[in-house]
Short mmCIF file of all heavy atoms in Angstrom, two decimals:
data_model
loop_
_atom_site.label_atom_id
_atom_site.label_comp_id
_atom_site.label_asym_id
_atom_site.label_seq_id
_atom_site.Cartn_x
_atom_site.Cartn_y
_atom_site.Cartn_z
N GLU A 142 -43.40 -40.93 56.48
CA GLU A 142 -44.27 -41.00 57.64
C GLU A 142 -45.66 -41.49 57.23
O GLU A 142 -46.17 -41.10 56.19
CB GLU A 142 -44.39 -39.63 58.30
CG GLU A 142 -43.09 -39.13 58.88
CD GLU A 142 -43.28 -37.77 59.55
OE1 GLU A 142 -44.45 -37.42 59.82
OE2 GLU A 142 -42.27 -37.09 59.78
N LYS A 143 -46.22 -42.33 58.05
CA LYS A 143 -47.58 -42.80 57.82
C LYS A 143 -48.54 -42.04 58.72
O LYS A 143 -48.18 -41.70 59.85
CB LYS A 143 -47.68 -44.30 58.11
CG LYS A 143 -46.89 -45.17 57.15
CD LYS A 143 -47.07 -46.63 57.50
CE LYS A 143 -46.27 -47.51 56.55
NZ LYS A 143 -46.44 -48.96 56.88
N PRO A 144 -49.77 -41.74 58.24
CA PRO A 144 -50.76 -41.09 59.12
C PRO A 144 -51.01 -41.96 60.35
O PRO A 144 -51.01 -43.19 60.29
CB PRO A 144 -52.01 -41.00 58.23
CG PRO A 144 -51.51 -41.14 56.84
CD PRO A 144 -50.30 -42.01 56.90
N GLN A 145 -51.18 -41.30 61.45
CA GLN A 145 -51.43 -42.01 62.71
C GLN A 145 -52.78 -42.70 62.65
O GLN A 145 -53.78 -42.09 62.29
CB GLN A 145 -51.39 -41.02 63.86
CG GLN A 145 -51.35 -41.66 65.23
CD GLN A 145 -51.25 -40.61 66.32
OE1 GLN A 145 -51.92 -39.59 66.26
NE2 GLN A 145 -50.41 -40.86 67.32
N THR A 146 -52.82 -43.98 62.98
CA THR A 146 -54.10 -44.68 63.00
C THR A 146 -54.90 -44.25 64.22
O THR A 146 -54.37 -43.65 65.15
CB THR A 146 -53.89 -46.20 63.05
OG1 THR A 146 -53.32 -46.54 64.31
CG2 THR A 146 -53.00 -46.67 61.92
N GLU A 147 -56.18 -44.60 64.21
CA GLU A 147 -57.05 -44.25 65.32
C GLU A 147 -56.54 -44.87 66.62
O GLU A 147 -56.49 -44.21 67.67
CB GLU A 147 -58.47 -44.73 65.01
CG GLU A 147 -59.52 -44.22 65.97
CD GLU A 147 -60.93 -44.56 65.49
OE1 GLU A 147 -61.15 -45.73 65.10
OE2 GLU A 147 -61.79 -43.66 65.51
N VAL A 148 -56.14 -46.13 66.55
CA VAL A 148 -55.65 -46.81 67.76
C VAL A 148 -54.36 -46.18 68.25
O VAL A 148 -54.17 -45.97 69.46
CB VAL A 148 -55.45 -48.32 67.48
CG1 VAL A 148 -54.78 -49.00 68.68
CG2 VAL A 148 -56.79 -48.98 67.18
N GLU A 149 -53.47 -45.83 67.32
CA GLU A 149 -52.22 -45.18 67.72
C GLU A 149 -52.50 -43.83 68.39
O GLU A 149 -51.82 -43.45 69.35
CB GLU A 149 -51.32 -44.99 66.51
CG GLU A 149 -50.71 -46.30 66.01
CD GLU A 149 -50.01 -46.14 64.68
OE1 GLU A 149 -50.32 -45.17 63.93
OE2 GLU A 149 -49.14 -46.97 64.37
N LYS A 150 -53.48 -43.12 67.89
CA LYS A 150 -53.87 -41.84 68.49
C LYS A 150 -54.37 -42.06 69.92
O LYS A 150 -54.00 -41.32 70.84
CB LYS A 150 -54.96 -41.19 67.64
CG LYS A 150 -55.54 -39.90 68.20
CD LYS A 150 -56.56 -39.31 67.22
CE LYS A 150 -57.28 -38.11 67.82
NZ LYS A 150 -58.20 -38.47 68.90
N TRP A 151 -55.21 -43.07 70.11
CA TRP A 151 -55.71 -43.38 71.45
C TRP A 151 -54.55 -43.73 72.38
O TRP A 151 -54.49 -43.26 73.52
CB TRP A 151 -56.68 -44.55 71.40
CG TRP A 151 -57.96 -44.28 70.65
CD1 TRP A 151 -58.51 -43.07 70.37
CD2 TRP A 151 -58.81 -45.26 70.09
NE1 TRP A 151 -59.68 -43.24 69.67
CE2 TRP A 151 -59.89 -44.57 69.48
CE3 TRP A 151 -58.80 -46.65 70.02
CZ2 TRP A 151 -60.93 -45.23 68.82
CZ3 TRP A 151 -59.83 -47.32 69.37
CH2 TRP A 151 -60.89 -46.60 68.78
N GLU A 152 -53.66 -44.58 71.89
CA GLU A 152 -52.54 -45.03 72.73
C GLU A 152 -51.64 -43.86 73.11
O GLU A 152 -51.15 -43.79 74.24
CB GLU A 152 -51.76 -46.11 71.99
CG GLU A 152 -52.53 -47.42 71.85
CD GLU A 152 -51.83 -48.44 70.98
OE1 GLU A 152 -50.97 -48.04 70.16
OE2 GLU A 152 -52.14 -49.64 71.10
N ALA A 153 -51.44 -42.94 72.17
CA ALA A 153 -50.60 -41.78 72.46
C ALA A 153 -51.25 -40.89 73.52
O ALA A 153 -50.57 -40.39 74.43
CB ALA A 153 -50.35 -40.98 71.17
N GLN A 154 -52.56 -40.70 73.41
CA GLN A 154 -53.24 -39.86 74.40
C GLN A 154 -53.25 -40.53 75.76
O GLN A 154 -53.11 -39.87 76.79
CB GLN A 154 -54.66 -39.54 73.95
CG GLN A 154 -55.35 -38.50 74.83
CD GLN A 154 -56.54 -37.85 74.17
OE1 GLN A 154 -57.08 -38.35 73.19
NE2 GLN A 154 -56.97 -36.71 74.70
N ALA A 155 -53.40 -41.85 75.79
CA ALA A 155 -53.41 -42.57 77.06
C ALA A 155 -52.12 -42.39 77.84
O ALA A 155 -52.11 -42.45 79.08
CB ALA A 155 -53.67 -44.05 76.81
N GLU A 156 -51.01 -42.15 77.14
CA GLU A 156 -49.73 -41.92 77.80
C GLU A 156 -49.73 -40.64 78.63
O GLU A 156 -48.90 -40.48 79.53
CB GLU A 156 -48.60 -41.89 76.77
CG GLU A 156 -48.24 -43.24 76.19
CD GLU A 156 -47.78 -44.21 77.27
OE1 GLU A 156 -46.89 -43.83 78.06
OE2 GLU A 156 -48.30 -45.34 77.32
N ASN A 157 -50.64 -39.71 78.32
CA ASN A 157 -50.71 -38.44 79.05
C ASN A 157 -51.58 -38.52 80.30
O ASN A 157 -51.81 -37.50 80.95
CB ASN A 157 -51.28 -37.35 78.14
CG ASN A 157 -50.41 -37.07 76.93
OD1 ASN A 157 -49.20 -37.23 76.99
ND2 ASN A 157 -51.02 -36.66 75.84
N ILE A 158 -52.10 -39.71 80.59
CA ILE A 158 -53.14 -39.86 81.62
C ILE A 158 -52.69 -40.87 82.67
O ILE A 158 -52.14 -41.93 82.33
CB ILE A 158 -54.46 -40.32 80.97
CG1 ILE A 158 -54.92 -39.33 79.90
CG2 ILE A 158 -55.55 -40.52 82.03
CD1 ILE A 158 -55.88 -39.92 78.89
N THR A 159 -52.97 -40.55 83.92
CA THR A 159 -52.78 -41.50 85.01
C THR A 159 -54.08 -41.62 85.79
O THR A 159 -54.69 -40.60 86.12
CB THR A 159 -51.66 -41.04 85.96
OG1 THR A 159 -50.43 -40.95 85.23
CG2 THR A 159 -51.49 -42.02 87.12
N ILE A 160 -54.50 -42.84 86.05
CA ILE A 160 -55.68 -43.11 86.87
C ILE A 160 -55.22 -43.77 88.16
O ILE A 160 -54.51 -44.78 88.14
CB ILE A 160 -56.70 -44.01 86.15
CG1 ILE A 160 -57.16 -43.37 84.84
CG2 ILE A 160 -57.91 -44.30 87.05
CD1 ILE A 160 -58.02 -44.27 83.97
N ILE A 161 -55.60 -43.18 89.28
CA ILE A 161 -55.30 -43.76 90.59
C ILE A 161 -56.62 -44.15 91.24
O ILE A 161 -57.50 -43.30 91.43
CB ILE A 161 -54.54 -42.77 91.49
CG1 ILE A 161 -53.25 -42.31 90.82
CG2 ILE A 161 -54.24 -43.41 92.85
CD1 ILE A 161 -52.49 -41.24 91.60
N ARG A 162 -56.76 -45.41 91.56
CA ARG A 162 -57.95 -45.88 92.27
C ARG A 162 -57.64 -45.93 93.76
O ARG A 162 -56.64 -46.54 94.19
CB ARG A 162 -58.35 -47.28 91.80
CG ARG A 162 -58.78 -47.36 90.35
CD ARG A 162 -60.24 -47.03 90.20
NE ARG A 162 -60.69 -47.14 88.81
CZ ARG A 162 -61.94 -47.00 88.41
NH1 ARG A 162 -62.88 -46.73 89.31
NH2 ARG A 162 -62.27 -47.10 87.15
N ASP A 163 -58.50 -45.30 94.58
CA ASP A 163 -58.25 -45.31 96.01
C ASP A 163 -58.90 -46.54 96.65
O ASP A 163 -59.38 -47.45 95.97
CB ASP A 163 -58.69 -44.00 96.66
CG ASP A 163 -60.20 -43.77 96.65
OD1 ASP A 163 -60.97 -44.74 96.53
OD2 ASP A 163 -60.62 -42.59 96.78
N ASP A 164 -58.92 -46.57 97.98
CA ASP A 164 -59.36 -47.76 98.70
C ASP A 164 -60.86 -48.01 98.59
O ASP A 164 -61.34 -49.07 99.00
CB ASP A 164 -58.95 -47.68 100.18
CG ASP A 164 -59.19 -46.31 100.80
OD1 ASP A 164 -59.42 -45.34 100.06
OD2 ASP A 164 -59.16 -46.21 102.04
N PHE A 165 -61.62 -47.05 98.05
CA PHE A 165 -63.04 -47.29 97.78
C PHE A 165 -63.31 -47.37 96.28
O PHE A 165 -64.47 -47.34 95.86
CB PHE A 165 -63.90 -46.20 98.43
CG PHE A 165 -63.98 -46.35 99.93
CD1 PHE A 165 -63.12 -45.64 100.75
CD2 PHE A 165 -64.89 -47.21 100.51
CE1 PHE A 165 -63.17 -45.78 102.13
CE2 PHE A 165 -64.94 -47.36 101.88
CZ PHE A 165 -64.08 -46.65 102.70
N GLY A 166 -62.26 -47.47 95.49
CA GLY A 166 -62.41 -47.60 94.05
C GLY A 166 -62.69 -46.30 93.33
O GLY A 166 -62.91 -46.31 92.12
N VAL A 167 -62.67 -45.18 94.05
CA VAL A 167 -62.92 -43.89 93.40
C VAL A 167 -61.78 -43.59 92.45
O VAL A 167 -60.61 -43.63 92.86
CB VAL A 167 -63.06 -42.76 94.44
CG1 VAL A 167 -63.21 -41.40 93.75
CG2 VAL A 167 -64.23 -43.03 95.37
N PRO A 168 -62.06 -43.28 91.18
CA PRO A 168 -60.98 -42.97 90.25
C PRO A 168 -60.55 -41.51 90.35
O PRO A 168 -61.38 -40.60 90.31
CB PRO A 168 -61.61 -43.25 88.88
CG PRO A 168 -63.07 -42.97 89.08
CD PRO A 168 -63.38 -43.33 90.51
N HIS A 169 -59.25 -41.30 90.51
CA HIS A 169 -58.67 -39.97 90.48
C HIS A 169 -57.91 -39.89 89.16
O HIS A 169 -56.89 -40.57 88.98
CB HIS A 169 -57.74 -39.76 91.67
CG HIS A 169 -58.43 -39.96 92.99
ND1 HIS A 169 -58.88 -38.93 93.78
CD2 HIS A 169 -58.75 -41.10 93.67
CE1 HIS A 169 -59.44 -39.41 94.88
NE2 HIS A 169 -59.37 -40.73 94.84
N ILE A 170 -58.40 -39.10 88.22
CA ILE A 170 -57.88 -39.07 86.86
C ILE A 170 -57.03 -37.82 86.68
O ILE A 170 -57.51 -36.71 86.90
CB ILE A 170 -59.02 -39.09 85.83
CG1 ILE A 170 -59.87 -40.36 86.00
CG2 ILE A 170 -58.48 -39.01 84.42
CD1 ILE A 170 -61.22 -40.13 86.60
N TYR A 171 -55.80 -38.00 86.27
CA TYR A 171 -54.87 -36.90 86.05
C TYR A 171 -54.47 -36.87 84.58
O TYR A 171 -53.98 -37.87 84.04
CB TYR A 171 -53.63 -37.05 86.92
CG TYR A 171 -53.93 -37.02 88.41
CD1 TYR A 171 -54.28 -38.18 89.09
CD2 TYR A 171 -53.88 -35.82 89.12
CE1 TYR A 171 -54.57 -38.16 90.45
CE2 TYR A 171 -54.17 -35.78 90.48
CZ TYR A 171 -54.51 -36.95 91.14
OH TYR A 171 -54.80 -36.93 92.48
N GLY A 172 -54.65 -35.73 83.93
CA GLY A 172 -54.27 -35.58 82.53
C GLY A 172 -53.50 -34.30 82.31
O GLY A 172 -53.63 -33.34 83.07
N LYS A 173 -52.70 -34.27 81.24
CA LYS A 173 -51.96 -33.04 80.92
C LYS A 173 -52.92 -31.93 80.51
O LYS A 173 -52.79 -30.79 80.94
CB LYS A 173 -50.94 -33.31 79.82
CG LYS A 173 -49.75 -34.14 80.28
CD LYS A 173 -48.69 -34.22 79.19
CE LYS A 173 -47.46 -34.97 79.69
NZ LYS A 173 -46.40 -35.06 78.65
N THR A 174 -53.89 -32.25 79.66
CA THR A 174 -54.85 -31.27 79.20
C THR A 174 -56.24 -31.65 79.69
O THR A 174 -56.46 -32.77 80.16
CB THR A 174 -54.87 -31.20 77.66
OG1 THR A 174 -55.36 -32.46 77.16
CG2 THR A 174 -53.48 -30.93 77.10
N ASP A 175 -57.19 -30.74 79.54
CA ASP A 175 -58.58 -31.07 79.88
C ASP A 175 -59.07 -32.23 79.02
O ASP A 175 -59.80 -33.11 79.51
CB ASP A 175 -59.48 -29.85 79.65
CG ASP A 175 -59.38 -28.83 80.78
OD1 ASP A 175 -58.51 -28.99 81.65
OD2 ASP A 175 -60.18 -27.88 80.78
N ALA A 176 -58.68 -32.24 77.74
CA ALA A 176 -59.11 -33.33 76.86
C ALA A 176 -58.55 -34.67 77.33
O ALA A 176 -59.24 -35.70 77.28
CB ALA A 176 -58.69 -33.04 75.42
N ASP A 177 -57.30 -34.66 77.79
CA ASP A 177 -56.72 -35.90 78.35
C ASP A 177 -57.53 -36.36 79.56
O ASP A 177 -57.83 -37.55 79.72
CB ASP A 177 -55.27 -35.67 78.79
CG ASP A 177 -54.34 -35.38 77.63
OD1 ASP A 177 -54.65 -35.78 76.49
OD2 ASP A 177 -53.30 -34.73 77.87
N ALA A 178 -57.88 -35.40 80.44
CA ALA A 178 -58.64 -35.75 81.64
C ALA A 178 -60.01 -36.32 81.27
O ALA A 178 -60.48 -37.28 81.90
CB ALA A 178 -58.79 -34.52 82.53
N VAL A 179 -60.65 -35.74 80.26
CA VAL A 179 -61.95 -36.25 79.82
C VAL A 179 -61.81 -37.65 79.24
O VAL A 179 -62.63 -38.55 79.52
CB VAL A 179 -62.58 -35.28 78.79
CG1 VAL A 179 -63.74 -35.94 78.05
CG2 VAL A 179 -63.06 -34.01 79.50
N PHE A 180 -60.79 -37.88 78.44
CA PHE A 180 -60.51 -39.22 77.89
C PHE A 180 -60.41 -40.23 79.04
O PHE A 180 -61.05 -41.29 79.03
CB PHE A 180 -59.21 -39.16 77.09
CG PHE A 180 -58.80 -40.45 76.41
CD1 PHE A 180 -58.93 -40.60 75.04
CD2 PHE A 180 -58.24 -41.50 77.14
CE1 PHE A 180 -58.53 -41.78 74.41
CE2 PHE A 180 -57.83 -42.67 76.53
CZ PHE A 180 -57.98 -42.82 75.15
N GLY A 181 -59.59 -39.89 80.04
CA GLY A 181 -59.41 -40.81 81.18
C GLY A 181 -60.67 -40.97 82.00
O GLY A 181 -60.95 -42.07 82.51
N LEU A 182 -61.44 -39.89 82.14
CA LEU A 182 -62.68 -39.95 82.91
C LEU A 182 -63.66 -40.91 82.28
O LEU A 182 -64.27 -41.74 82.97
CB LEU A 182 -63.29 -38.55 83.01
CG LEU A 182 -64.69 -38.45 83.63
CD1 LEU A 182 -64.69 -38.94 85.07
CD2 LEU A 182 -65.20 -37.02 83.56
N LEU A 183 -63.83 -40.83 80.96
CA LEU A 183 -64.79 -41.73 80.31
C LEU A 183 -64.29 -43.17 80.31
O LEU A 183 -65.07 -44.11 80.46
CB LEU A 183 -65.08 -41.24 78.89
CG LEU A 183 -66.25 -40.28 78.74
CD1 LEU A 183 -67.57 -40.94 79.17
CD2 LEU A 183 -66.06 -39.00 79.52
N TYR A 184 -62.99 -43.34 80.17
CA TYR A 184 -62.42 -44.69 80.26
C TYR A 184 -62.70 -45.29 81.63
O TYR A 184 -63.16 -46.44 81.75
CB TYR A 184 -60.92 -44.63 79.99
CG TYR A 184 -60.24 -45.97 79.94
CD1 TYR A 184 -60.04 -46.64 78.74
CD2 TYR A 184 -59.78 -46.58 81.11
CE1 TYR A 184 -59.41 -47.88 78.70
CE2 TYR A 184 -59.15 -47.81 81.08
CZ TYR A 184 -58.97 -48.46 79.87
OH TYR A 184 -58.35 -49.70 79.84
#
């Protein structure tokens, strides 16, 4: 096994997040954990 690279870590966390943009562009960020939600919020 190889250590997970920084990019691979980001990509893995992004899989836990869904962003839904509504008709006014407001982002609704859904994550499995609070940290996932924060990752998606800043993105």
Side-chain angles (χ1 to χ4, degrees):
E142 295 181 17
K143 294 181 180 180
Q145 192 177 42
T146 67
E147 191 172 47
V148 173
E149 288 170 338
K150 175 177 173 291
W151 294 339
E152 291 173 339
Q154 188 161 18
E156 287 300 310
N157 298 330
I158 302 159
T159 299
I160 301 173
I161 303 175
R162 295 275 182 175
D163 68 22
D164 44 345
F165 287 95
V167 176
H169 303 260
I170 300 107
Y171 297 87
K173 288 187 176 180
T174 66
D175 282 8
D177 294 335
V179 165
F180 182 106
L182 172 62
L183 269 298
Y184 184 94

